Amino acid sequence: MAKEITSRSENYSQWYNDLVVKADLAEQSAVRGCMVIKPYGYAIWEKMQRFLDDAFKKEGVQNAYFPLFIPKSFFSREAEHVAGFAKECAVVTHHRLMTNPDGPGVVVDPSAKLEEELIVRPTSETIIWSTYKNWIKSWRDLPILCNQWANVVRWEMRTRLFLRTSEFLWQEGHTAHATSQEAQNEAIKMAHVYADFARNILDIPVVLGHKSPHERFAGALDTLSIEAMMQDGKALQAGTSHFLGQNFAKSFDVKYADKEGNLQYVWASSWGVSTRLMGALVMALGDDNGLVLPPLIAPIQVVMVPIYKTDEEHSSVLEKMGQIQDALVANGHSVKIDDRDLLRPGFKFAEWELKGVPVRLAVGPRDITNGTVEIHRRDTMEKTTVPIDGVVDRIGELLDDMQKNIYLKALQFRDSHIVKVDTWDDFKEKIEQGGFLLCHWDGTEETEERIQEETKATIRCIPVDSAVCEEEGKCVYSGKPSHRRVIFARSY
RNA sequence: CGGGAUGUAGCGCAGUUGGCUAGCGCACUACGUUCGGGACGUAGGGGUCGUGCGUUCGAGUCGCAUCAUCCCGACCA
């Protein structure tokens, strides 16, 4: 009873917030706008990190770490970039505290003012490019493919757990290349790494596409994003990959000598995903019973709940579960036996469902007698009793099936909420129902802004690899000619 | 920084027009009965009612101030 969550249809925001807190993923910190990620939530994040790290390594990317503090002067070198972030930066101005001469507590020591303020990184392009300058002399030094796992700070006005917090965890890749084409290819390649990860591991269907110039990352020539659909029909940008051209190379004077001995500015890409993916996981896959975790990302894939009355029953049930556990672990599955005393089975069932554990096994005296075990799958909530022989193989197959099924369910939801819209009246009506609107757009920023003002909808992306978008038509707002459809939606 | 709301136990709340000993649910502690879908009984522990000032014989309740938080905007991965 204590852990019951609000239903999705009743109040989507509250459902989300309840779920994040009650499934033990995270909680609001006493520090304004910041979040505490709890062990269970962090375990999921660690699994994401592992998959991403492996994928990065396959692409030749290495991990590195750059400073948290960025001198203000670095930051102001790239005009567009600073304009994009200036409004939300935390700034360090002093380096010492002292006891308060006028009362209790401590105060900032006014004599310890920094000559140059330090910015707490909102993203690391500037500090990294100031470093790359020293690393890059010749074409032989290129490409440089670095990733860092870090925290960044963006002083947001309004925050929501995982989706928008003042501090968040992420990875940011920063690459340097000899040619424009190579840098562009890198940005595209990494966008596909993200899309594959979202689809295959997280079971979240995403649309890969280009951002409109208006929605681009500050300082980028092209921004690719993966856009996911939440179950209230709103879009969530789940990852971005940017082609930065020579903007940062020029700002930080990063040149290399090519094979002919001519000095050339290098070309750049950067790309990142954050703990926002945790929010996407909750909002794209969760249901009224709680989280639904795809087996590949679940910290616990199989939980076993013992059912017993007497000590003898307890020990025989536990012995049987121990055997199953060993076999499952030998097959590479993560397993937990929930042997907490004093909690009744029904309570445990509900709690593990809330936490999204894919498979639950219940073993009781009845099963010991019959040689059976009860299997419950989280995605469909189906319960079956099966012979204990062969149960390990069956669970392996079940986990594989669930990994596919969860994706298909989310895909079906998303695709049933994508509509083609050709008139402005239809646009205004359909946007109220949520979902992605496939529309023609005249390509102007003016139209984009008008549409946003009137409907709060923005261009989420201009999809790549989408045959349905490739057609001639007229802009849904201005009526001017257009060569392809783009996705409009309200977003987080 | 605009518009709206809320601060009472760890959490969620009630407390009518001021009234004496501040209450309920969950959680917590102890004991017992339970245990195949969120158990129950009994007995306990836990509060300067956000803070300050005022009105009053008397303030959780009324007034003013202040702080904090949340929601809706502006901003954003």
Side-chain angles (χ1 to χ4, degrees):
Chain A
M1 285 309 199
K3 291 238 177 177
E4 218 154 285
I5 54 174
T6 315
S7 85
R8 271 176 306 179
S9 48
E10 206 179 307
N11 182 336
Y12 195 81
S13 297
Q14 200 181 334
W15 165 79
Y16 172 76
N17 219 51
D18 272 11
L19 189 40
V20 169
V21 172
K22 289 182 176 156
D24 269 341
L25 299 181
E27 63 190 23
Q28 196 96 42
S29 156
V31 182
R32 186 206 158 281
C34 293
M35 161 176 78
V36 176
I37 303 177
K38 298 174 80 174
Y40 188 64
Y42 203 84
I44 299 172
W45 176 238
E46 281 178 322
K47 292 210 83 171
M48 290 189 191
Q49 288 182 299
R50 219 164 303 149
F51 279 109
L52 287 166
D53 250 339
D54 286 350
F56 296 162
K57 295 222 168 83
K58 266 185 213 142
E59 305 297 346
V61 176
Q62 292 179 299
N63 284 327
Y65 188 80
F66 298 87
L68 168 68
F69 299 120
I70 302 176
K72 193 177 70 180
S73 58
F74 283 25
F75 213 72
S76 48
R77 287 206 212 168
E78 217 290 321
E80 266 184 68
H81 187 66
V82 69
F85 287 101
K87 280 172 281 188
E88 51 187 42
C89 284
V91 183
V92 178
T93 56
H94 292 74
H95 64 82
R96 196 187 303 134
L97 297 174
M98 56 190 266
T99 52
N100 186 357
D102 304 320
V106 290
V107 293
V108 175
D109 184 342
S111 69
K113 195 170 187 317
L114 293 176
E115 204 161 297
E116 182 179 0
E117 293 91 340
L118 296 171
I119 315 298
V120 181
R121 64 179 165 225
T123 178
S124 301
E125 272 77 6
T126 55
I127 189 85
I128 286 177
W129 279 90
S130 76
T131 309
Y132 280 180
K133 177 178 169 55
N134 301 323
W135 291 4
I136 298 168
K137 302 289 177 214
S138 140
W139 64 273
R140 292 175 216 272
D141 297 324
L142 296 171
I144 291 180
L145 311 173
C146 279
N147 174 64
Q148 93 167 339
W149 289 96
N151 56 339
V152 287
V153 168
R154 297 182 188 175
W155 211 262
E156 300 290 353
M157 299 307 288
R158 293 189 56 203
T159 59
R160 301 192 66 190
L161 293 172
F162 288 121
L163 302 182
R164 186 170 303 106
T165 46
S166 294
E167 180 191 5
F168 58 94
L169 305 182
W170 78 348
Q171 62 63 219
E172 48 181 326
H174 297 270
T175 68
H177 306 267
T179 66
S180 171
Q181 195 56 55
E182 205 184 304
Q184 288 186 59
N185 288 348
E186 184 72 16
I188 292 166
K189 187 166 76 183
M190 297 317 290
H192 278 96
V193 167
Y194 290 154
D196 290 346
F197 171 68
R199 291 166 185 154
N200 301 332
I201 310 298
L202 301 183
D203 275 348
I204 300 172
V206 291
V207 179
L208 174 59
H210 296 271
K211 284 291 184 184
S212 69
H214 182 59
E215 295 269 334
R216 257 177 216 152
F217 175 74
L221 299 188
D222 185 21
T223 291
L224 287 144
S225 78
I226 52 171
E227 299 285 330
M229 189 192 289
M230 305 298 101
Q231 289 174 90
D232 61 351
K234 284 169 84 173
L236 183 76
Q237 180 174 309
T240 51
S241 182
H242 317 288
F243 168 55
L244 301 173
Q246 295 175 309
N247 286 349
F248 287 92
K250 285 178 177 166
S251 301
F252 290 90
D253 193 38
V254 186
K255 289 183 221 170
Y256 73 97
D258 66 18
K259 289 179 188 174
E260 285 75 43
N262 303 313
L263 285 181
Q264 306 272 6
Y265 285 113
V266 304
W267 298 82
S269 87
S270 72
W271 25 272
V273 296
S274 72
T275 39
R276 188 177 237 206
L277 286 172
M278 298 285 296
L281 205 55
V282 174
M283 286 204 291
L285 306 179
D287 64 23
D288 282 351
N289 296 303
L291 286 182
V292 176
L293 293 177
L296 287 175
I297 210 73
I300 301 168
Q301 293 173 313
V302 181
V303 68
M304 293 197 252
V305 176
I307 291 156
Y308 57 92
K309 288 196 181 87
T310 64
D311 283 350
E312 297 92 84
E313 285 171 352
H314 186 193
S315 53
S316 64
V317 161
L318 273 189
E319 192 195 332
K320 186 55 76 182
M321 288 196 315
Q323 292 165 7
I324 300 172
Q325 179 181 36
D326 291 345
L328 285 170
V329 169
N331 277 11
H333 302 303
S334 52
V335 183
K336 181 179 177 65
I337 297 176
D338 184 359
D339 192 30
R340 288 176 296 176
D341 203 2
L342 301 170
L343 288 176
R344 306 171 90 228
F347 182 90
K348 294 178 182 177
F349 293 170
E351 188 173 84
W352 292 115
E353 282 157 17
L354 181 59
K355 289 191 166 198
V357 173
V359 174
R360 183 184 70 233
L361 299 185
V363 181
R366 207 159 66 202
D367 296 304
I368 299 292
T369 313
N370 301 341
T372 57
V373 44
E374 184 187 273
I375 301 183
H376 176 272
R377 59 184 287 179
R378 178 63 185 84
D379 58 342
T380 60
M381 298 289 276
E382 282 165 350
K383 207 155 59 170
T384 48
T385 300
V386 302
I388 202 158
D389 296 327
V391 77
V392 172
D393 290 340
R394 190 185 273 261
I395 288 169
E397 288 161 20
L398 178 58
L399 289 170
D400 289 345
D401 182 53
M402 289 178 72
Q403 184 71 32
K404 293 186 192 106
N405 184 54
I406 294 169
Y407 179 76
L408 288 176
K409 197 175 161 189
L411 185 66
Q412 193 178 23
F413 174 88
R414 186 197 71 180
D415 287 349
S416 66
H417 289 80
I418 299 180
V419 287
K420 278 192 183 183
V421 168
D422 291 313
T423 69
W424 183 234
D425 284 339
D426 198 25
F427 188 105
K428 285 186 286 190
E429 189 191 320
K430 291 279 167 37
I431 198 71
E432 295 302 327
Q433 297 160 14
F436 291 177
L437 274 45
L438 289 175
C439 310
H440 283 285
W441 165 56
D442 62 20
T444 68
E445 194 171 319
E446 191 194 348
T447 297
E448 201 177 350
E449 281 179 355
R450 288 271 182 76
I451 290 176
Q452 181 170 7
E453 274 169 36
E454 290 185 38
T455 65
K456 293 183 199 163
T458 50
I459 297 176
R460 298 323 305 159
C461 70
I462 302 155
V464 299
D465 308 329
S466 178
V468 281
C469 294
E470 303 287 349
E471 59 175 28
E472 296 297 316
K474 285 179 180 166
C475 174
V476 72
Y477 188 84
S478 68
K480 289 177 193 162
S482 147
H483 307 297
R484 56 186 357 270
R485 288 176 187 270
V486 302
I487 292 178
F488 275 92
R490 288 185 181 150
S491 74
Y492 278 97

